Amino acid sequence: MFDIITGQDEPLSRLMTMKKNGAVPHALLFTGIDGIGKSLAALSYAMALNCKAVEPESVPCRQCRSCKKILGETHPDILPIRPSGSIIKIAQIRDLCQKLLIKPVEAAVRVVIVHDTHTMNPESGNALLKVLEEPPDRTMFILISDQASDVLPTILSRCQRVSFSPLSRGSIKDLLIQNGVDAHQAEGVSAMACGSLGRALSLCEKKPNRPDPLVFRRFLFDELVSLIRGGTFDVLSFAEKFSQKKDQTLNVLDILLSFIRDLIVHPFDKDTVINRDIADEIENISGSMTTASLLCMADLITAAHQGIKANASVRLCLETMAIQIKRI
Ligand SMILES: [Zn+2]
């Protein structure tokens, strides 16, 4: 049913069982990091619930009128909601509620897909809650979010949760090679991707003025080492360099966190190092840091990541993080 989604057998099998048993709940919450197939699974499930194919094993067929409309995002009863700017606004939910007053145009099951559910503020969340409490006829909701703890508790309590896992490093490496990436780059990028195929593919995209991902990672490692070693390192310049784009900043913090993780685990188990192709450099730095100070850095990077995700000032979060790391 979901043959183009990789490495998510468990959640996809649960979804298939719900459909087969006629027990599809009116609200599902798909959780898991970005770039592992949650949105694609939501679209595929909407197709499966409305596919006109006769043979159950070929559902969704991607060929029938309904599947084609959903794939082309022209189906009148598949209603996506995405953040407008950085949040899902109450006006968007009010607009959705107006549409839901009318019966589905042609779908057996109308599907509302809410992307980045965690970007709803309490007002838009409360507005959505009303329709979740009394779902309209022939209508279901698929809410998508990185993690359940970021979703408003009142919304969470109305949904059945389906968890999607980060992909294994080996799976990402194999998929990159299948997509034409050379083996050396696939090895390094699979370490940087932190389980996200979407991030891995994005890192491998060739764009003007974008450095090679492995060169960029090396640059980040050197920046972290400079930050750790203090000296004349300019904290404000560090924050300025990486505060241009929110998504890019989050990616940078994930990579920094992977270095810290490697520095922590290296003395105990060299085989579990993620950034294996720079293992020598990691060994050199690892010996000069205590586990306690590395854990403290990991906490500071995680706090900056959480702050930025919650729409705090990117620049301020980075400056605070860098100043505190320098003080360790
Ligand atoms: Zn179909």
Side-chain angles (χ1 to χ4, degrees):
M1 176 162 122
F2 300 102
D3 51 344
I4 57 169
I5 302 169
T6 305
Q8 303 295 354
D9 294 348
E10 198 275 330
L12 300 183
S13 161
R14 269 190 70 200
L15 291 169
M16 286 165 73
T17 305
M18 287 173 189
K19 180 179 178 298
K20 193 173 149 194
N21 295 343
V24 178
H26 73 266
L28 289 167
L29 173 65
F30 289 2
T31 58
I33 61 169
D34 280 343
I36 53 174
K38 302 188 302 294
S39 296
L40 195 53
L43 207 61
S44 296
Y45 206 44
M47 278 196 282
L49 295 171
N50 289 290
C51 182
K52 308 290 183 199
V54 179
E55 300 294 331
E57 59 272 18
S58 57
V59 168
C61 69
R62 302 175 196 281
Q63 301 296 323
C64 70
R65 192 167 165 271
S66 172
C67 282
K68 279 184 177 171
K69 277 190 174 182
I70 295 174
L71 275 173
E73 297 189 19
T74 58
H75 198 296
D77 297 318
I78 307 302
L79 306 173
I81 302 282
R82 293 187 171 85
S84 168
S86 57
I87 63 165
I88 294 174
K89 295 176 177 160
I90 189 166
Q92 293 173 264
I93 303 298
R94 284 186 181 142
D95 183 47
L96 170 72
C97 291
Q98 283 298 313
K99 288 178 185 162
L100 296 181
L101 290 173
I102 304 161
K103 286 188 177 172
V105 179
E106 57 186 81
V109 182
R110 177 165 54 190
V111 184
V112 178
I113 302 175
V114 183
H115 298 268
D116 296 320
T117 302
H118 53 276
T119 64
M120 278 194 296
N121 58 21
E123 289 74 30
S124 46
N126 283 333
L128 183 68
L129 189 61
K130 283 177 191 154
V131 281
L132 286 179
E133 283 171 336
E134 292 176 34
D137 197 27
R138 288 162 49 206
T139 301
M140 74 160 299
F141 296 80
I142 300 178
L143 278 52
I144 300 174
S145 186
D146 294 2
Q147 46 190 357
S149 58
D150 292 340
V151 177
L152 296 169
T154 46
I155 299 281
L156 198 58
S157 66
R158 300 281 163 189
C159 300
Q160 196 161 320
R161 186 174 157 188
V162 180
S163 304
F164 288 69
S165 306
L167 303 183
S168 72
R169 187 173 165 180
S171 300
I172 292 179
K173 183 181 168 187
D174 291 347
L175 288 163
L176 289 177
I177 291 171
Q178 283 169 30
N179 275 273
V181 177
D182 75 65
H184 176 67
Q185 189 173 47
E187 171 74 30
V189 169
S190 64
M192 295 168 71
C194 304
S196 166
L197 177 62
R199 181 182 298 168
L201 290 169
S202 165
L203 284 167
C204 291
E205 253 178 67
K206 294 203 184 335
K207 286 185 181 170
N209 303 323
R210 178 193 274 193
D212 175 276
L214 300 190
V215 172
F216 182 60
R217 182 181 56 160
R218 185 53 200 244
F219 165 72
L220 283 181
F221 186 73
D222 292 342
E223 288 285 297
L224 181 69
V225 172
S226 302
L227 186 56
I228 289 171
R229 292 194 164 152
T232 56
F233 188 82
D234 187 343
V235 165
L236 297 182
S237 133
F238 175 86
E240 187 178 356
K241 254 182 254 176
F242 299 118
S243 61
Q244 307 302 324
K245 287 183 182 170
K246 181 177 167 179
D247 285 351
Q248 200 178 32
T249 309
L250 292 173
N251 191 23
V252 164
L253 293 177
D254 281 333
I255 295 170
L256 292 179
L257 211 48
S258 80
F259 292 145
I260 299 288
R261 180 209 169 272
D262 282 351
L263 291 169
I264 292 170
V265 301
H266 186 277
F268 306 102
D269 187 358
K270 292 178 186 173
D271 292 339
T272 58
V273 164
I274 295 172
N275 300 283
R276 284 176 215 157
D277 52 324
I278 54 168
D280 289 347
E281 289 88 336
I282 285 168
E283 184 169 3
N284 286 339
I285 304 298
S286 175
S288 63
M289 302 288 300
T290 66
T291 304
S293 54
L294 288 167
L295 286 170
C296 190
M297 281 180 207
D299 284 347
L300 291 168
I301 296 171
T302 304
H305 196 286
Q306 288 171 342
I308 292 167
K309 278 203 90 170
N311 289 325
S313 157
V314 175
R315 179 79 183 259
L316 188 61
C317 286
L318 283 187
E319 283 179 2
T320 307
M321 180 196 83
I323 288 167
Q324 289 181 300
I325 287 180
K326 203 175 171 186
R327 281 181 185 160
I328 290 173

